[in-house]
């Protein structure tokens, strides 16, 4: 037995689990091949992610070495037949069909709605006033129910199952609390509870109602009314186009003509890490993800950082375009998602951002935007893109400055796609987990950039993406925060509605402008 130390990883368990989840589309039962796509390939990809280097090539290439012998060729058909009952792979199984890579050139191309799965709610047992205050504070923008009970209260036990059921159904829309007044004297005293069962509900941080008795119907009715009252006003709006929009990230998966691209790189194209990435992209494109073994990730990241100093701006787009094509694979983007301080992507983005808009080559800006969109192929990356002190400002600056490119509509479409990916992920976090993935200050900057771009946009495709991003950015936002205030200050409704004269067939103008930014923020305007 040979033991080869590869290194140690300090990645947290949840990040590792997310990466493993992203490999499901690559390592499936159907794609298993004893010779070409086996556990060694999986181990190599996983090791590269964990410690930055894969397993030795003499191990990964061992099945192919056997296959290349006359004996291996003789055995292959028999092994294929034996494995077919397990994998259901077609014969001859030299390679399984490549998995389809989703590629949305426009945000409007998808039709499925957002996932509305909620976290299953649980009842929190509280034994002190301090615990209760913390839970009520967490529900200050939604609602909460307190069930005062005691161990000597038989009627209380009759409604325990109902209370648990209501908590599970409500999910993260409400906080359900249970207090044993025989143990939490300070809580009972604070609310003057002398009899059990007693229920008290809270709406938006204020006490709503109080009642006593083990009436299951009354409990269900009061909780249902509470949840309805706590519902965000945007949930009552008719937004069919926005609701049917897929929240899957927009990616740019089409591989470049690799031969021409390598020729334009000059001597850089002869670098071993560049060649390994080119072969990775080629294999993934022609044979599917399962045939593409991860390239020299560390070497390529070093080359990308050096290229910002060594290559002229006119040539820089070649290595960025190669990066773009590889980032479609979640294994590849997942590696960069866990890079220390995101050094490679920050270096690239900063290089492009520091070039004056007029001096940055069109091709370089375009492929940089597309590569940044492709970062979203890995579920590990979005939280970093939206909330990292070094990465987030560069991403926002790239997209915002690109919207000011009056000469190239394709650049503005790519920039609106990047803004869509950001807004879509933030909206998912807001609607499912009731939390913001992006800081308020960055959301304010994003909205200001979007509204300014909308007012000037002349491309139908770019406008469509900008309206989608704007709608997702503001939908469901707290009506008392800075984003809602900016909607009113900048007259977001008027800005969007004005585009109706120029683009009468764009349904999102009315839906986002009049319905969402108009009626959806009337409460905010009335309370100001």
């Amino acid at each position: 037995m040979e033991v080869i130390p590869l290194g140690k990883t300090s990645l947290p368990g949840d990040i590792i689990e997310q990466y493993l989840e992203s490999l499901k589309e690559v390592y499936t039962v159907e794609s298993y091949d004893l010779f070409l796509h086996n556990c060694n390939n999986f181990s190599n990809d996983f090791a590269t992610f964990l410690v930055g280097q894969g397993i030795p090539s003499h191990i990964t290439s061992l099945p192919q070495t056997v296959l290349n012998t006359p004996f291996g060729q003789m055995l292959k058909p028999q092994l294929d037949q034996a494995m077919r009952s397990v994998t259901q792979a077609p014969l001859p199984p030299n390679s399984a069909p490549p998995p389809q890579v989703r590629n949305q050139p426009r945000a409007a191309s998808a039709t499925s709605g957002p996932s509305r799965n909620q976290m299953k709610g649980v009842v929190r047992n509280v034994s002190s006033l301090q615990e209760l205050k913390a839970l009520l504070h967490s529900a200050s923008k939604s609602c909460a129910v307190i069930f005062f009970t005691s161990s000597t209260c038989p009627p209380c036990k009759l409604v325990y199952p109902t209370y648990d059921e209501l908590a599970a159904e409500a999910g993260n829309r409400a906080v359900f609390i249970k207090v044993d007044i025989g143990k939490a004297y300070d809580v009972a005293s604070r609310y003057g509870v002398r009899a059990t069962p007693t229920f008290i509900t809270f709406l938006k941080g204020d006490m709503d109602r109080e009642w006593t008795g083990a009436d299951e119907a009354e409990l269900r009715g009061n909780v249902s009314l509470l949840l309805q009252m706590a519902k965000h006003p945007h949930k009552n709006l008719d937004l069919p186009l926005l609701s049917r929009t897929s929240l899957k990230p927009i990616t740019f998966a089409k591989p470049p003509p690799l031969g021409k691209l390598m020729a334009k790189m000059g001597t850089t194209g002869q670098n071993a890490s560049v060649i390994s990435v080119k072969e990775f992209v080629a294999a993934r494109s022609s044979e599917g993800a399962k045939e593409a073994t991860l390239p020299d990730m560390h070497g390529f990241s070093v080359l990308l950082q050096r290229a910002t100093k060594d290559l002229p701006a006119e040539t820089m787009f070649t290595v960025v375009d190669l990066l773009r094509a590889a980032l479609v694979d979640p294994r590849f983007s997942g590696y960069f998602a866990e890079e220390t301080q995101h050094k490679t992507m920050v270096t690239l983005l900063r290089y492009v951002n520091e070039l004056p808009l007029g001096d940055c080559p069109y091709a370089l800006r375009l492929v940089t935007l597309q590569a940044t969109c492709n970062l979203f192929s890995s579920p590990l990356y979005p939280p970093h893109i939206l909330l990292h002190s070094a990465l987030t400002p560069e991403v926002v600056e790239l997209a915002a400055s690109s919207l000011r490119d009056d000469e190239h509509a394709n650049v503005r479409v790519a920039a609106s796609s990047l803004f869509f990916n950001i807004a879509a992920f933030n909206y998912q976090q807001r609607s499912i987990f009731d939390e913001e993935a992006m800081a308020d200050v960055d959301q304010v900057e994003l909205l200001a950039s979007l509204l300014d771009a909308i007012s000037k946009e002349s491309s139908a495709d770019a406008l469509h993406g900008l309206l989608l991003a704007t709608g997702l950015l503001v939908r469901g936002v707290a009506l008392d925060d800075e984003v809602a205030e900016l909607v009113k200050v900048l007259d977001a409704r008027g800005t969007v509605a004005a585009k109706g004269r120029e683009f009468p067939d764009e349904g999102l103008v009315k839906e986002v402008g009049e319905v969402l930014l108009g009626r959806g923020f009337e409460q905010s305007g009335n309370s100001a």
Side-chain angles (χ1 to χ4, degrees), residues 83-106:
M83 290 301 299
R84 191 185 183 200
S85 61
V86 178
T87 65
Q88 293 299 305
L91 289 177
N94 293 325
S95 61
Q100 295 296 314
V101 179
R102 294 186 179 272
N103 179 23
Q104 290 176 244
R106 292 183 54 209

Side-chain angles (χ1 to χ4, degrees), residues 336-337 339-347 381 384 388 391:
F336 284 103
E339 184 184 33
T340 303
Q341 294 300 310
H342 305 286
K343 187 175 181 180
T344 300
M345 288 309 304
V346 168
T347 300
Y381 234 134
H384 297 287
H388 188 274
L391 183 61

Side-chain angles (χ1 to χ4, degrees), residues 24-241:
K24 281 187 174 180
E25 69 175 44
V26 178
Y27 292 99
T28 64
V29 173
E30 293 78 13
S31 69
Y32 180 82
D33 188 294
L34 184 63
F35 291 102
L36 304 175
H37 196 242
N38 50 56
C39 57
N40 284 341
N41 302 102
F42 170 81
S43 300
N44 184 66
D45 288 349
F46 194 32
T48 301
F49 174 74
L50 292 175
V51 298
Q53 63 173 322
I55 62 179
S57 59
H58 73 271
I59 297 177
T60 57
S61 63
L62 184 59
Q64 187 63 46
T65 302
V66 174
L67 188 61
N68 290 338
T69 66
F71 181 69
Q73 290 296 312
M74 181 181 68
L75 280 180
K76 188 175 188 300
Q78 300 175 45
L79 291 173
D80 288 339
Q81 184 64 41
M83 290 301 299
R84 191 185 183 200
S85 61
V86 178
T87 65
Q88 293 299 305
L91 289 177
N94 293 325
S95 61
Q100 295 296 314
V101 179
R102 294 186 179 272
N103 179 23
Q104 290 176 244
R106 292 183 54 209
S109 62
T111 57
S112 61
S115 170
R116 306 304 299 172
N117 293 330
Q118 300 214 356
M119 296 177 64
K120 185 176 180 180
V122 295
V123 175
R124 279 83 164 183
N125 292 292
V126 167
S127 58
S128 70
L129 188 59
Q130 184 177 1
E131 286 182 80
L132 180 64
K133 287 181 177 179
L135 286 173
L136 290 178
H137 177 73
S138 71
S140 60
K141 293 185 178 181
S142 54
C143 58
V145 187
I146 306 178
F147 179 0
F148 291 93
T149 181
S150 70
S151 58
T152 58
C153 172
C156 295
K157 298 178 182 179
L158 295 177
V159 290
Y160 280 178
T162 301
Y163 195 67
D164 291 342
E165 180 183 335
L166 290 171
E169 292 174 354
N172 65 345
R173 293 179 294 159
V175 175
F176 282 73
I177 304 165
K178 188 183 290 183
V179 177
D180 187 335
I181 64 173
K183 299 178 181 178
Y185 302 106
D186 54 345
V187 178
S189 175
R190 167 66 177 81
Y191 291 98
V193 176
R194 295 183 175 85
T196 56
T198 292
F199 298 89
I200 300 179
T201 59
F202 291 79
L203 179 63
K204 308 290 186 182
D206 297 322
M207 187 181 295
D208 178 49
R209 65 177 61 199
E210 177 179 346
W211 74 96
T212 60
D215 188 327
E216 180 182 331
E218 184 180 20
L219 174 61
R220 287 186 180 276
N222 286 340
V223 169
S224 177
L225 179 62
L226 178 70
L227 292 174
Q228 185 65 30
M229 293 173 63
K231 185 186 294 184
H232 195 287
H234 289 181
K235 295 183 182 294
N236 298 320
L237 298 176
D238 185 22
L239 303 168
L241 297 177

Side-chain angles (χ1 to χ4, degrees), residues 228-493:
Q228 185 65 30
M229 293 173 63
K231 185 186 294 184
H232 195 287
H234 289 181
K235 295 183 182 294
N236 298 320
L237 298 176
D238 185 22
L239 303 168
L241 297 177
L242 204 58
S243 297
R244 289 199 301 265
T245 298
S246 171
L247 298 185
K248 291 183 180 297
I250 299 171
T251 58
F252 297 85
K254 184 178 180 179
L258 294 173
K260 294 181 179 179
L261 195 70
M262 299 293 283
K264 291 179 180 179
M265 286 187 195
T267 56
T268 302
Q270 301 171 14
N271 182 280
S273 65
V274 172
I275 294 174
S276 70
V277 175
K278 183 207 74 170
E279 292 174 346
F280 172 77
V281 172
R284 196 180 193 282
S285 175
S286 62
E287 302 175 57
K290 79 180 189 67
E291 300 297 337
T293 302
L294 280 177
D296 179 5
M297 304 293 294
H298 175 70
F300 190 58
S301 65
V302 171
L303 179 135
L304 288 169
Q305 294 172 46
R306 290 177 178 171
T308 59
K309 299 177 181 179
D310 298 340
L311 291 181
E314 292 75 16
T315 308
M316 186 66 189
F317 86 91
T318 57
V319 292
V320 178
D321 200 22
L322 186 61
L323 170 69
R324 171 198 64 81
L327 283 171
V328 173
D329 193 297
R331 297 169 295 171
F332 195 95
S333 54
Y335 173 88
F336 284 103
E338 295 308 313
E339 184 184 33
T340 303
Q341 294 300 310
H342 305 286
K343 187 175 181 180
T344 300
M345 288 309 304
V346 168
T347 300
L348 286 176
L349 296 176
R350 188 168 294 159
Y351 170 78
V352 175
N353 286 334
E354 289 178 352
L355 291 172
L357 186 60
D359 295 339
C360 181
Y362 160 70
L364 174 59
R365 181 169 289 273
L366 179 63
V367 297
T368 303
L369 285 164
Q370 294 174 343
T372 309
C373 284
N374 289 357
L375 297 178
F376 285 82
S377 67
S378 168
L380 301 174
Y381 234 134
H384 297 287
I385 295 172
L386 273 66
L387 205 61
H388 188 274
S389 59
L391 183 61
T392 303
E394 299 297 341
V395 172
V396 173
E397 172 61 22
L398 174 69
S401 62
S402 298
L403 289 176
R404 298 192 293 270
D405 187 340
D406 298 329
E407 296 182 10
H408 304 104
N410 285 344
V411 167
R412 301 196 302 275
V413 169
S416 68
S417 298
L418 178 53
F419 271 152
F420 170 84
N421 287 353
I422 293 171
F425 181 78
N426 191 64
Y427 173 72
Q428 286 178 298
Q429 296 297 109
R430 177 189 296 152
S431 60
I432 298 175
F433 302 110
D434 194 28
E435 63 184 24
E436 301 294 323
M438 196 174 202
D440 285 349
V441 63
D442 292 321
Q443 292 191 52
V444 166
E445 182 179 350
L446 211 64
L447 180 59
S449 297
L450 286 168
L451 293 174
D452 180 63
I454 287 172
S455 68
K456 302 172 183 176
E457 189 52 63
S458 58
S459 163
D461 287 349
L463 179 67
H464 188 86
L466 292 170
L467 291 173
L468 280 177
T470 302
L472 292 174
L473 184 65
V474 304
R475 188 180 187 185
V477 73
L479 297 181
D480 58 352
D481 78 353
E482 296 179 19
V483 174
E485 180 66 19
L486 191 65
V487 167
K488 181 179 63 174
V489 171
L490 295 183
D491 186 22
R493 176 182 185 176

